[in-house]
């Protein structure tokens, strides 16, 4: 997939019109400002002075308020906004009651949905405020940036987001940093906040005129100083500006764009010259729609982010008309109280006072995010950054997820997904959460099928995780989080079908036909059963049978069998017909039993370790097959042969012996005999150490086995003390890896046993035993736990758990 992300314009990349971090004010706004586009009264219109150019920083509350004030003064007949013209047809949806920012325009290539770009808007974005004002006042509103049909056709629709060549990088400047340096500031963001965002003006248009003059001086000093492709974008903007002036007159036009572009739009050029710059641009057929966005994506500096640091803080400043610091501290206190941190009203009062004092000491016009954060850390968090990180995550950034109207354009697959989400009461959320499903319930089973189908379509809304409760086949635990880029994945998956079910079937069939590895097909069969895609199983099973018949590699067969066994197990609770799957699995098991012994001969260390893993996987899968009894008997014979064959690597022989011992098919005396042979003086130390690793290594309870059977511990101890110094250096890493995996308590008990000297046999064990262990089973004490055990099992039966 070649998904292209980020809006190809200043709000999503560090071009000069959107300086680094694109921060809006970190201090309080003017108390009289109002965020609603229709709230301000209409003042007397001043004399006309030509088109109104409003150069802004994207996603800035102060810039947004200034735009609102300027539009109220001039009342233009048309508002031209920096954005893709293809979205003009859906601009009216921005005024719909069902539209809740943050939202984004999504543009994607029709023939390649993975080539996509976003234009995100927050409630405090100047462009959003301008659009809403125009719709509320009956003014025309249009996008005037270079069409997405050209930007998406480029090699990189993000237009070199950090990937431009060195020559181009040398041309780019940060205009805000240059202006801040000229003003004596070492922090460009703080200068912008102090000089622009926090300063009120009697004439709301005056700040924009001053900023345009400053940008013009910078462009004269440094040349163009921006991205080379900005020249093309600005040429297109000038053409659209000419058309609007011709239609609405010079005095009826307002332009809202990045401040860096304003001097270029006011520069005298000819239409012929501008058209020449646009000649020959590549094109691609494009579709546009509105999609929900999140504050977290606004806070990211790359990928799908818009590059601002504190969207939650900015949203608070924009929406709060009075006493924003007091109200912010109250929010912080409420969050900390919800997390069981003691915060009183006195803390809130003191934090507000400290923030205001810090602002005064630092020469700031008003307290900003830096001052409030310092105050919260000192007063409410006792100097700790741990609760402060929670404040940053939940409030400074936030988990706000926008909404778009149901009638917004969307691919059919997206509409079907939205319908399923509503019917299953599975609402997309920006905040990560866990979902426990009981597959015996119809609604939960349908939810599980939907999530599995989306995963097959590469729409990773949810990921299965290990649950805290039952591990039975009837339970599933998912970790869900809806990300804005999933809309692109849905658009890409739309090529497979118009509904989630049909698309998943089509993609499963295509993957089955294209797969070359047997394990890939078995994994796909498992996915189909989990997703309830019975319609795809005939094609998948045909491919599975073909690959299984042709594959002669025992390792491949062993790798494929566990997935089939799990699929057969899932069929019990999901009411899926797995007869054909069981036949294929039985055939694989038969071929593994025949081919495994010769395949384990003559392996090097790495190959032996890999084969040992396959041995464990097959051993766990065979009991799940339909004819488990007959297959298990055959498998027992295979393990006995591997445990006794000298040509098999030690790690596999030791593992085979251990599996037989755990299943009760190898008596303890025989296990001790096999260990004695493996650890005999004639066995090379490296082979003996490998046998020990296979027998007692890993998380299989080998440590407890040595604790309870001192005969085995004595054999290991006697062998280890007899290893020569040179050989000990070679086997030490392997032994250390084996024994370091044990629990601390097990290692401590083994040390105590070795310290006192383990007996050579169980018969010699008298009173000198490890703490907590007896010499034999005390049947009378063991019977005492039976009533409690019956009570526990009875409670489980009442729940009906399938464990």
């Amino acid at each position: 997939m070649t998904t292209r992300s980020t809006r190809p314009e200043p709000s999503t990349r560090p071009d000069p019109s959107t300086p680094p971090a694109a921060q809006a004010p970190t201090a309080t706004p003017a108390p009289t400002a109002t965020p609603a586009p229709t709230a301000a009264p209409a003042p007397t219109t001043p004399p006309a002075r030509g088109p109104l150019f409003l150069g802004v920083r994207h996603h800035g509350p102060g810039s947004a308020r200034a735009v609102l004030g300027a539009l109220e003064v001039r009342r233009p007949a048309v508002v031209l906004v920096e954005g893709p013209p293809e979205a003009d047809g859906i601009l009216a949806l921005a005024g719909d009651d069902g539209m809740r920012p943050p939202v984004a325009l999504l543009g994607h290539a029709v023939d390649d949905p993975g080539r996509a770009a976003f234009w995100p808007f927050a409630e405090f974005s100047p462009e959003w405020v301008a659009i809403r004002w125009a719709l509320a006042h009956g003014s025309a509103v249009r996008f005037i940036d270079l069409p997405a049909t050209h930007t998406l056709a480029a090699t990189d629709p993000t237009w070199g987001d950090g990937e431009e060549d060195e020559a181009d990088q040398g041309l780019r400047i940060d205009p805000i940093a240059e202006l801040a340096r000229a003003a004596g500031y070492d922090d460009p963001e703080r200068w912008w906040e102090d000089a622009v965002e926090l300063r009120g003006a009697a004439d709301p248009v005056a700040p924009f005129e001053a900023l345009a003059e400053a940008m013009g001086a910078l462009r004269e000093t440094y040349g163009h100083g921006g991205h080379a492709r900005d020249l093309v974008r600005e040429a297109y903007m000038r053409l659209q500006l000419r058309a609007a002036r011709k239609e609405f007159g010079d005095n009826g036009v307002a332009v809202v764009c990045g401040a860096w572009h304003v001097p270029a739009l006011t520069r005298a050029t000819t239409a012929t010259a501008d058209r020449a710059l646009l000649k020959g641009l590549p094109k691609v057929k494009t579709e546009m729609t509105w999609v929900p966005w999140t504050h977290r994506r606004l806070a990211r500096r790359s990928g799908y982010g818009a590059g601002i640091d504190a969207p939650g803080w900015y949203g608070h400043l924009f929406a709060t008309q009075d006493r924003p610091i007091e109200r912010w501290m109250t929010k912080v206190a409420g969050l900390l109280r919800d997390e069981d941190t003691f915060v009183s009203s006195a803390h809130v009062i003191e934090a507000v006072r400290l923030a205001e004092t810090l602002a005064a000491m630092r020469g700031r016009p008003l307290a900003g995010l830096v001052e409030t954060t310092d105050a919260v850390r000192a007063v409410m968090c006792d100097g700790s950054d741990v609760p402060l990180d929670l404040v940053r995550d939940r409030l400074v950034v936030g988990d706000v997820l926008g909404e778009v109207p149901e009638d917004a354009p969307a691919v059919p697959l997206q509409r079907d997904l939205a319908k399923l989400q509503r019917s299953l009461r599975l609402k997309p959320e920006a905040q990560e959460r866990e979902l426990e499903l009981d597959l015996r319930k119809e609604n939960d089973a349908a939810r599980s099928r939907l999530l599995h189908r989306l995963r097959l379509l590469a729409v990773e809304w949810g990921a299965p995780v290990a649950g805290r409760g039952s591990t039975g086949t009837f339970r599933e635990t998912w970790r869900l989080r809806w990300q804005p880029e999933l809309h692109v994945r849905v658009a890409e998956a739309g090529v497979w079908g118009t509904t989630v079910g049909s698309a998943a079937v089509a993609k499963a069939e295509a993957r089955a036909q294209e797969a070359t590895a047997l394990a890939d097909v078995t994994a796909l069969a498992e996915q189909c059963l989990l997703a309830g895609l019975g319609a795809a199983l005939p094609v998948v099973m045909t491919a599975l049978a073909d690959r299984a018949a042709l594959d002669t590699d025992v390792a491949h067969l062993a790798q494929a069998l566990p997935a089939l066994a799990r699929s057969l197990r899932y069929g019990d609770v999901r009411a899926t017909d797995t007869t054909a799957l069981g036949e294929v699995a039985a055939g694989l098991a038969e071929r593994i039993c025949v081919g495994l012994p010769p395949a384990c001969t003559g392996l090097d260390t790495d190959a032996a370790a890999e084969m040992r893993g396959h041995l464990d996987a097959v051993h766990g899968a065979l009991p799940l097959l339909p004819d488990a009894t007959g297959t298990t008997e055959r498998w027992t014979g295979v393990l006995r042969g591997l445990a006794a064959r000298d040509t098999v690597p030690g790690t596999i022989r030791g593992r085979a012996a251990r599996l037989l011992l755990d299943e009760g098919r190898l008596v303890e005396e025989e296990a001790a005999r096999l260990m004695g042979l493996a650890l005999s003086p004639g066995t090379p130390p490296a082979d003996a150490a490998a046998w020990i690793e296979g027998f007692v290594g890993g998380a299989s309870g080998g440590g407890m086995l040595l604790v309870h059977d001192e005969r085995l511990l004595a054999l290991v101890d006697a062998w280890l003390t007899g290893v020569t110094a040179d050989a000990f250096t070679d086997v030490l890493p392997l032994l250390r890896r084996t024994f370091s995996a044990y629990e601390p308590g097990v290692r401590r008990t083994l040390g105590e046993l070795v310290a006192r000297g383990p007996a050579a046999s169980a018969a010699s064990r008298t009173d000198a035993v490890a703490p907590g262990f007896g010499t034999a089973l005390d049947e009378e004490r063991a019977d005492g736990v039976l009533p409690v055990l019956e009570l526990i099992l009875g409670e489980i039966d009442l729940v009906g758990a399938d464990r």
Side-chain angles (χ1 to χ4, degrees):
M1 185 184 67
T2 59
T3 301
R4 300 295 185 175
S5 61
T6 314
R7 66 182 292 183
E9 52 90 12
S11 68
T12 59
R13 61 184 179 83
D15 84 346
S17 64
T18 306
Q23 293 184 3
T26 59
T28 58
T32 58
T34 173
T38 59
T44 303
T45 304
R49 293 175 293 179
L52 175 64
F53 293 96
L54 304 177
V56 301
R57 296 188 73 187
H58 303 285
H59 310 305
S63 294
R65 284 197 175 86
V67 165
L68 178 60
L71 293 177
E72 287 289 352
V73 170
R74 289 292 296 270
R75 300 242 166 194
V78 61
V79 178
L80 306 181
V81 180
E82 186 179 332
E86 292 91 343
D88 285 351
I90 57 175
L91 263 177
L93 291 174
D96 192 287
D97 291 338
M99 185 77 79
R100 295 286 185 274
V103 294
L105 286 169
L106 165 61
H108 65 85
V110 174
D111 297 330
D112 183 9
R115 298 185 62 81
F118 291 95
W119 289 260
F121 300 95
E123 62 178 336
F124 48 81
S125 300
E127 301 94 333
W128 180 258
V129 170
I131 292 170
R132 295 273 291 179
W133 182 92
L135 295 175
H137 291 79
S139 297
V141 57
R142 299 171 183 173
F143 283 126
I144 60 168
D145 203 352
L146 189 67
T149 185
H150 298 306
T151 58
L152 293 177
T155 304
D156 177 13
T158 63
W159 281 19
D161 207 3
E163 300 175 3
E164 54 273 5
D165 57 36
E166 294 181 1
D168 190 42
Q169 286 182 352
L171 293 173
R172 301 186 68 176
I173 66 167
D174 181 354
I176 303 302
E178 296 298 325
L179 295 175
R181 187 178 299 110
Y185 279 70
D186 57 0
D187 184 352
E189 299 303 320
R190 182 157 297 190
W191 172 81
W192 177 268
E193 294 158 5
D194 290 352
V196 179
E197 298 283 1
L198 306 180
R199 301 293 184 184
D203 181 1
V205 180
F208 293 107
E209 295 175 344
L211 186 59
E213 183 179 353
M215 292 298 174
L218 286 175
R219 291 181 75 122
E220 289 179 4
T221 303
Y222 293 98
H224 169 60
H227 199 293
R229 295 185 180 93
D230 284 345
L231 296 174
V232 178
R233 297 173 58 198
E234 290 164 353
Y236 188 85
M237 291 183 192
R238 284 193 294 266
L239 291 175
Q240 301 308 303
L241 176 58
R242 286 190 184 95
R245 294 173 71 175
K246 184 177 180 180
E247 180 179 355
F248 296 95
D250 285 349
N251 301 325
V253 179
V255 180
V256 180
C257 64
W260 180 256
H261 301 303
V262 172
L265 300 186
T266 59
R267 184 165 58 92
T269 61
T270 65
T272 302
D274 289 339
R275 293 192 184 96
L277 287 174
L278 300 172
K279 187 176 181 180
L281 291 179
K283 294 183 179 181
V284 64
K285 188 177 181 181
T286 305
E287 288 184 353
M288 303 290 300
T289 186
W290 288 102
V291 297
W293 204 250
T294 68
H295 272 182
R296 292 193 182 278
R297 279 297 182 264
L298 283 171
R300 296 184 58 178
R301 293 176 178 270
S302 60
Y304 293 94
I308 62 175
D309 290 336
W313 165 255
Y314 302 154
H316 167 79
L317 292 182
F318 188 71
T320 305
Q321 300 186 32
D322 66 317
R323 310 185 69 167
I325 301 302
E326 290 84 346
R327 297 183 188 279
W328 176 259
M329 293 300 185
T330 303
K331 283 185 180 181
V332 173
L335 172 64
L336 294 177
R337 287 169 182 164
D338 291 341
E339 298 297 327
D340 296 328
T341 299
F342 175 73
V343 179
S344 67
S345 300
H347 286 90
V348 175
I349 296 171
E350 187 60 31
V352 172
R353 289 175 176 172
L354 179 57
E356 293 174 345
T357 302
L358 289 173
M361 293 176 61
R362 295 168 180 174
R364 305 296 306 279
L366 295 170
L369 181 59
V370 175
E371 288 72 32
T372 57
T373 300
D374 290 344
V376 168
R377 180 192 290 109
V379 178
M380 298 186 187
C381 300
D382 296 326
S384 173
D385 280 340
V386 175
L388 192 63
D389 287 340
L390 180 67
V391 174
R392 290 193 183 103
D393 182 70
R394 300 280 184 85
L395 294 181
V396 177
V397 176
D399 288 306
V400 178
L401 175 65
E403 299 179 8
V404 299
E406 295 182 4
D407 56 348
V411 295
L413 183 62
Q414 177 66 59
R415 294 192 179 281
D416 182 64
L417 175 58
K419 179 181 178 181
L420 291 172
Q421 289 170 335
R422 289 193 298 270
S423 64
L424 297 176
R425 298 186 297 280
L426 201 57
K427 183 179 180 180
E429 295 178 349
Q431 188 173 3
E432 184 176 277
R433 68 184 181 98
E434 284 194 359
L435 177 67
E436 297 280 349
L437 298 179
D438 185 340
L439 301 183
R440 298 167 300 181
K441 299 178 181 179
E442 182 177 353
N443 191 66
D444 281 3
R447 289 177 170 181
S448 172
R449 288 193 295 269
L450 173 62
L451 293 172
H452 280 294
R453 290 175 181 181
L454 291 176
R455 292 195 78 215
L456 194 149
L457 291 170
V459 182
E460 298 286 345
W461 178 14
V465 295
R468 294 186 295 270
S470 169
T471 58
T473 59
F474 70 93
R475 288 198 182 279
E476 278 185 350
T477 302
W478 291 80
R479 182 170 291 121
L480 303 179
R481 171 177 279 183
W482 185 265
Q483 305 282 19
E485 59 265 32
L486 294 181
H487 289 284
V488 177
R489 305 291 187 272
V490 173
E492 289 182 294
V495 302
W496 297 105
T498 58
T499 66
V500 175
S502 64
V505 169
K507 185 168 184 179
E509 292 176 345
R511 283 180 54 185
Q513 295 170 353
E514 296 171 357
T516 56
L518 177 60
D520 293 340
V521 186
T522 56
L524 180 60
E526 182 180 12
Q527 281 185 290
C528 289
L529 289 174
L530 291 170
L533 301 178
L537 280 178
V539 176
V540 175
M541 294 309 304
T542 300
L544 178 59
D546 292 342
R547 305 298 187 279
L550 296 175
D551 201 327
T552 59
D553 191 325
V554 174
H556 292 169
L557 301 178
Q559 189 177 8
L561 184 63
L564 293 181
R566 289 194 301 268
S567 299
L568 292 169
R569 185 183 183 207
Y570 293 139
D572 295 337
V573 70
R574 298 173 186 271
T576 306
D577 185 5
T578 57
T579 303
L581 198 64
E583 295 175 356
V584 175
L588 286 181
E590 185 70 18
R591 293 173 61 189
I592 291 172
C593 290
V594 173
L596 188 61
C600 291
T601 303
L603 299 178
D604 60 17
T605 302
D606 293 338
E610 182 179 355
M611 188 60 73
R612 172 191 162 182
H614 294 322
L615 195 72
D616 286 338
V618 172
H619 184 76
L622 289 178
L624 303 178
L625 300 183
D627 185 17
T629 303
T631 306
T632 301
E633 292 297 329
R634 181 73 179 271
W635 179 246
T636 299
V638 172
L639 292 178
R640 288 185 179 278
L642 292 175
R645 183 174 295 182
D646 294 337
T647 57
V648 174
T651 184
I652 296 179
R653 287 187 286 117
R655 194 61 186 158
R658 176 60 190 279
L659 294 176
L660 290 170
L661 180 64
D662 289 345
E663 294 291 332
R665 298 178 182 274
L666 186 69
V667 296
E668 295 181 357
E669 289 74 11
E670 181 64 12
R673 186 185 73 82
L674 291 174
M675 178 178 281
L677 293 175
L679 304 183
S680 63
T683 303
D687 292 345
W691 196 95
I692 292 175
E693 183 188 30
F695 189 78
V696 298
S700 55
M704 292 303 298
L705 179 66
L706 295 178
V707 167
H708 287 289
D709 195 330
E710 290 196 50
R711 293 172 303 173
L712 301 181
L713 180 60
L715 289 172
V716 175
D717 182 59
W719 169 79
L720 187 59
T721 56
V723 175
T724 64
D726 294 339
F728 183 79
T729 302
D730 296 333
V731 301
L732 179 59
L734 184 62
L735 294 175
R736 183 169 184 173
R737 182 177 65 194
T738 300
F739 290 98
S740 64
Y742 296 163
E743 295 291 336
V746 173
R747 293 200 301 268
R748 182 172 59 252
T749 302
L750 287 174
E752 293 172 351
L753 288 172
V754 172
R756 71 165 180 80
S761 66
S764 64
R765 294 174 61 183
T766 56
D767 295 334
V769 295
F773 296 97
T775 57
L777 176 66
D778 188 333
E779 295 186 1
E780 182 177 354
R781 293 181 63 190
D783 290 342
V785 305
L786 292 180
V788 178
L789 186 60
E790 290 178 358
L791 180 62
I792 295 174
L793 294 177
E795 292 293 335
I796 293 178
D797 290 339
L798 290 176
V799 177
D802 176 21
R803 299 178 188 267

